Amino acid sequence: MMSPTRLLRSPLFLLLSSAPLLMAASPDLTIADFEGDSFGDWKVSGDAFGKAPARGALPGQMPVDGFRDRGLANGFHGGDDAEGSLVSPEFKIERKFINFLIGGGKFPGETCIELKVDGKTVRSAMGRNEHPGGSERLEWESWDVSDLAGKNATLHIIDKRKGTWGHLTVDHLVQSDAPATVAIDKEFVVNQRYLIWPVSKGNGERRRFFGTLDGEDKPLFYSDIALSNNPDFWVFTDLANYQGRRIKITGKIPGNLAAAWEKVAISATYPGEEELYKEPLRPQYHFSSRRGWLNDPNGLVWKDGSWHLFYQHNPYNHGWDNMHWGHAISPDLFHWKEGPDALMPDPEGYMYSGSGFVVPKSKTSLPIKGSEALVLAYTSEGTHSYVPGLKATQSLAWSDDGGKTFQKYKGNPVLPHQVGGNRDPKVFWHEPSNHWVMPLYLDGDEYGLYTSKDLVKWDEASRYRIPTDAECPDFFELPVEGNAKESRWVAWGAQGKYMLGSFDGKDFKVESGPHQHYFGAAYAGQSYDNAPDKRRVHIGWMRDTGAGINGAPFNLQMTLPIDFTLRRIDGKLRLWSEPSAEVTKLRADTKEWKDFTISPGDADPLSDFKGGQFEIEAVIDAKSESSEMGFVIFGEAPAIWKKSDQNFSGAAGALQPMDGKLNVRIFVDTVSMEVFVNGTYVSRYIRQTPGIKPARIATGGGAVHFDSLKIHALKSVWK
Ligand code: FRU
């Protein structure tokens, strides 16, 4: 970026300034970008703006953002009380608009920028703050100067004010044929399911939009959306629950996005829907979102024969943002049908993680309609709200129609801010003490336990720690070896570490831990509290430290559903994971080999297998000659057990054979691989390489004996 002086003197400027006036869509002319080491030809008076552009916030100033690149004109040198001004060299008005970024105080004539022609002020603009609090963010402003075409003008950046918000910030002054922003305000009749948006991938250039239903004051949602004239893909607001209503969309967009905004429409389909679930990177038997980003599973609850899976969702782009609760329902934990988002960000802020549970009318003072309701407990992440000054608090929403539509409780929050980024309430009913319990993440490695008789009034009961873990508590009781007479409570954290102990309805007494259960990509999982047959079914999020599922209009997937049990292994109590039995229904074709030994150089029985969705099931003799035994997936992803450290690839710990055997199940689905060995669980994302065999046996260290080996092709759940 050039300094103002360099630009005004540059050949580029001379070239542009001799171009015909107000030609349609001529390139922008930069008046000043405040990127240089001085104000150049601008006249500096007083102290407020210092001697040169600032590089952000000045000592004592709140964080300043919204300016472009590195520098800006910042009137906070010497604090609010200092005064001063910046006056530009004279320039000719050659475009229809002057656009700029502005922030700071809102005091007419005192904290403002003025455009002067022939000594007269012809335009003026201010910051947006008058009272303590507020925001130092710079926002776009535009002046329509088409009536001043050809005139010579000067710009005056003025700070003549002392005290609260007695300063102004300005950046990126340009002449342009398009306004920097236009206010949009359009009402749509919701007579089809989707409101569709063309977007570019990435969160760089986002614009904030508000959606308000007819007759309501409070917006139904707000979101930052990267609207684009050249979309990478299309996203949608699923309005299935608002058919027959009207929705007004308001916001501000740059003038040059007018064409993209014209394409935002109500539609029965969205571009790309014909390819839905057939996209090359789409997991075929794991849950992934139709569109956008996915993280933590939320609100896992079973009701009337359906498994509900809610999840952290940004419906509008590839990365984490705009936290909604997505929602899908399945009869069997695999065939999911995705519906509209259940919770959307609104004045409460972002809708962070939490839980779902079925509530009889007698056990709550929430104004539910029928004899029971499906209730969601979630974090209202107020620091992300457009309402300033809010914090993270805990809130409730419920459904009177079995999970189709949800309403937020008018009395939210039900638990005020406790500490730090407190979040992720996992509420359950504790029958022996006849009250609700809310494990809540507090801060560091600390969690709190809160209790309530009615879900609305909560008391703190106690606190516990999961050393070295954080976030997303799960908290549940499991029988030891299936024996209901002996049980332990499991306090689980986002990284899959857990404490074992006892729980009396108020206090958690630790017996042992932390134990690490998960390894690899899985994170922030939780379990169903009310699954049939007393099953403890758990689903995690598979996060990716790499580029995610790059190139697709969706990002990331859930783990397989996993059944947890508690077993005694070498005298020690430990969680045990098995893939939920429903997965066997997906088997389409099975090849089986029994009791054989394979040595380096031998033909590999798996070498004929083709496909990207399969399960390997094997019992390997751990006393085989080889020092290493297992499999390699798509030529690069090892699932190999080493005798030396008894470590199975990716699992940061020893894994002992049981009765001398390794019981292995490996699930591969398009972009992911999950390995279950003797009750442990490891997962990772993989990249398939065309021409590379999906699976081979690893025999690097010598002969390996298999008691049995099967490979099952698995069916897509989307067909
Ligand atoms: C865990 C987490 C939660 C939070 C959510 C926000 O991945 O950080 O603690 O509620 O994600 O999306």
Side-chain angles (χ1 to χ4, degrees):
M1 279 289 192
M2 285 185 203
S3 73
T5 355
R6 271 175 49 221
L7 184 95
L8 286 171
R9 287 183 181 152
S10 74
L12 178 71
F13 183 83
L14 295 175
L15 188 79
L16 294 173
S17 50
S18 58
L21 275 187
L22 302 185
M23 228 171 53
S26 305
D28 288 358
L29 299 173
T30 303
I31 302 167
D33 59 14
F34 301 115
E35 290 302 306
D37 296 331
S38 77
F39 286 114
D41 286 356
W42 284 60
K43 214 174 107 223
V44 185
S45 315
D47 306 321
F49 293 95
K51 293 194 166 53
R55 290 278 182 249
L58 294 166
Q61 195 173 21
M62 291 196 289
V64 177
D65 65 358
F67 59 101
R68 282 276 281 258
D69 302 309
R70 289 156 56 231
L72 76 158
N74 187 340
F76 200 74
H77 287 267
D80 274 325
D81 285 355
E83 296 180 12
S85 69
L86 297 172
V87 179
S88 77
E90 197 166 73
F91 63 96
K92 193 191 263 182
I93 297 183
E94 297 174 87
R95 296 287 185 274
K96 292 180 193 161
F97 296 91
I98 294 178
N99 300 329
F100 51 94
L101 287 157
I102 185 165
K106 184 184 175 192
F107 300 104
E110 292 185 304
T111 54
C112 60
I113 177 168
E114 294 180 342
L115 181 73
K116 292 196 191 222
V117 171
D118 299 332
K120 271 200 230 125
T121 302
V122 289
R123 298 286 184 282
S124 136
M126 302 175 281
R128 293 173 318 284
N129 304 280
E130 294 164 274
H131 308 293
S135 159
E136 284 279 12
R137 189 176 177 78
L138 283 77
E139 302 273 5
W140 283 109
E141 285 267 353
S142 292
W143 291 323
D144 183 340
V145 289
S146 40
D147 59 319
L148 302 169
K151 298 254 196 280
N152 286 328
T154 48
L155 282 162
H156 301 243
I157 301 177
I158 297 163
D159 174 358
K160 283 200 247 176
R161 172 99 185 178
K162 291 193 192 342
T164 301
W165 285 110
H167 65 275
L168 190 76
T169 51
V170 174
D171 194 22
H172 211 73
L173 286 148
V174 290
Q175 297 202 54
S176 175
D177 277 339
T181 57
V182 283
I184 56 159
D185 184 337
K186 185 165 166 184
E187 198 167 68
F188 297 87
V189 177
V190 185
N191 52 12
Q192 306 280 7
R193 180 164 180 183
Y194 305 108
L195 179 65
I196 57 170
W197 308 79
V199 298
S200 60
K201 189 179 143 186
N203 282 340
E205 287 285 315
R206 298 165 305 157
R207 315 287 155 191
R208 179 157 292 181
F209 295 92
F210 294 82
T212 310
L213 291 168
D214 52 313
E216 295 186 4
D217 302 326
K218 198 178 86 167
L220 174 70
F221 73 89
Y222 73 97
S223 275
D224 296 332
I225 302 178
L227 192 67
S228 170
N229 291 327
N230 306 304
D232 292 317
F233 53 90
W234 289 70
V235 293
F236 55 81
T237 314
D238 187 336
L239 295 171
N241 290 333
Y242 303 103
Q243 295 302 301
R245 308 269 316 248
R246 288 164 175 270
I247 192 160
K248 188 167 76 171
I249 304 294
T250 55
K252 262 192 191 177
I253 56 167
N256 60 12
L257 283 182
W261 169 243
E262 281 302 307
K263 294 185 192 145
V264 174
I266 297 287
S267 170
T269 179
Y270 49 90
E273 190 177 16
E274 62 293 349
E275 279 301 303
L276 182 64
Y277 299 129
K278 293 182 226 145
E279 303 95 340
L281 295 171
R282 178 70 74 175
Q284 290 300 314
Y285 61 95
H286 285 76
F287 180 78
S288 59
S289 177
R290 291 173 292 178
R291 280 290 180 275
W293 160 271
L294 153 164
N295 58 296
D296 318 353
N298 294 151
L300 300 188
V301 59
W302 187 89
K303 192 169 189 318
D304 305 328
S306 290
W307 303 88
H308 289 257
L309 165 62
F310 301 85
Y311 66 92
Q312 291 284 283
H313 187 206
N314 174 13
Y316 302 116
N317 218 311
H318 215 248
W320 184 96
D321 206 7
N322 300 320
M323 279 301 120
H324 289 57
W325 275 38
H327 185 198
I329 300 178
S330 171
D332 61 3
L333 290 165
F334 282 92
H335 293 84
W336 296 102
K337 195 164 187 312
E338 199 178 348
D341 285 291
L343 301 175
M344 304 190 189
D346 66 0
E348 289 181 7
Y350 279 8
M351 302 287 108
Y352 267 25
S353 287
S355 46
F357 36 96
V358 179
V359 178
K361 200 173 179 70
S362 60
K363 292 188 166 71
T364 186
S365 55
L366 285 175
I368 65 175
K369 275 209 198 104
S371 58
E372 61 173 36
L374 203 170
V375 179
L376 308 178
Y378 62 94
T379 300
S380 304
E381 226 309 344
T383 63
H384 286 279
S385 172
Y386 55 89
V387 179
L390 300 180
K391 290 182 170 169
T393 58
Q394 315 315 318
S395 295
L396 299 174
W398 78 93
S399 172
D400 286 320
D401 54 16
K404 197 169 160 276
T405 60
F406 288 85
Q407 53 186 303
K408 289 175 181 163
Y409 177 47
K410 295 240 166 26
N412 282 342
V414 292
L415 188 69
H417 179 253
Q418 307 291 295
V419 57
N422 59 180
R423 58 183 178 273
D424 311 337
K426 179 71 165 68
V427 172
F428 64 94
W429 177 255
H430 190 249
E431 187 61 38
S433 23
N434 201 34
H435 62 209
W436 296 99
V437 181
M438 178 200 290
L440 182 72
Y441 173 60
L442 295 178
D443 216 358
D445 58 8
E446 194 168 38
Y447 295 79
L449 289 168
Y450 298 80
T451 58
S452 172
K453 288 279 181 205
D454 67 350
L455 287 173
V456 167
K457 224 185 119 290
W458 291 89
D459 299 309
E460 182 173 336
S462 63
R463 293 186 175 195
Y464 64 95
R465 291 175 184 279
I466 309 180
T468 69
D469 211 332
E471 304 188 316
C472 301
D474 200 358
F475 199 89
F476 51 88
E477 188 177 19
L478 279 181
V480 175
E481 301 277 357
N483 173 4
K485 293 211 190 85
E486 193 194 353
S487 71
R488 293 294 186 285
W489 284 77
V490 179
W492 171 276
Q495 291 176 35
K497 295 181 184 168
Y498 63 99
M499 313 295 288
L500 291 175
S502 59
F503 178 60
D504 61 6
K506 290 200 158 177
D507 290 295
F508 176 62
K509 278 212 185 62
V510 175
E511 258 175 42
S512 70
H515 309 293
Q516 173 89 55
H517 187 67
Y518 271 172
F519 292 99
Y523 191 77
Q526 60 170 252
S527 59
Y528 290 84
D529 267 319
N530 68 342
D533 307 323
K534 301 215 164 99
R535 288 171 67 187
R536 181 57 53 179
V537 178
H538 173 102
I539 296 178
W541 164 45
M542 271 185 69
R543 61 178 170 176
D544 192 5
T545 44
I549 299 177
N550 231 327
F554 61 92
N555 200 3
L556 304 177
Q557 66 168 50
M558 294 302 173
T559 66
L560 278 187
I562 300 170
D563 273 57
F564 279 168
T565 48
L566 193 58
R567 301 206 182 170
R568 207 165 253 129
I569 298 162
D570 289 340
K572 294 180 201 132
L573 288 180
R574 291 293 179 269
L575 271 183
W576 181 280
S577 276
E578 291 286 348
S580 295
E582 287 84 346
V583 72
T584 58
K585 301 249 168 63
L586 304 179
R587 291 174 181 171
D589 183 26
T590 298
K591 296 219 160 35
E592 181 171 2
W593 301 268
K594 280 204 176 120
D595 208 11
F596 68 97
T597 301
I598 177 166
S599 299
D602 285 356
D604 186 331
L606 298 180
S607 66
D608 291 340
F609 183 84
K610 292 193 186 66
Q613 294 80 32
F614 58 92
E615 175 192 350
I616 294 173
E617 208 184 355
V619 181
I620 308 178
D621 189 341
K623 292 188 287 298
S624 297
E625 173 202 73
S626 181
S627 54
E628 300 183 356
M629 49 202 84
F631 304 89
V632 178
I633 304 302
F634 279 105
E636 58 145 38
I640 298 173
W641 182 73
K642 288 199 186 109
K643 268 187 190 165
S644 54
D645 55 4
Q646 311 236 317
N647 180 281
F648 215 99
S649 317
L655 187 150
Q656 273 137 47
M658 319 259 327
D659 302 326
K661 309 287 176 194
L662 297 164
N663 298 280
V664 183
R665 290 177 76 182
I666 300 173
F667 293 86
V668 173
D669 185 4
T670 320
V671 292
S672 71
M673 160 174 140
E674 290 164 282
V675 184
F676 296 81
V677 183
N678 293 359
T680 65
Y681 174 82
V682 186
S683 64
R684 60 177 283 177
Y685 284 95
I686 53 169
R687 306 282 179 258
Q688 298 188 17
T689 316
I692 301 267
K693 296 221 181 309
R696 67 175 166 81
I697 295 174
T699 50
V704 182
H705 185 81
F706 284 84
D707 289 11
S708 68
L709 172 66
K710 289 180 197 168
I711 187 160
H712 311 278
L714 298 182
K715 283 183 280 196
S716 170
V717 299
W718 308 121
K719 283 180 182 149

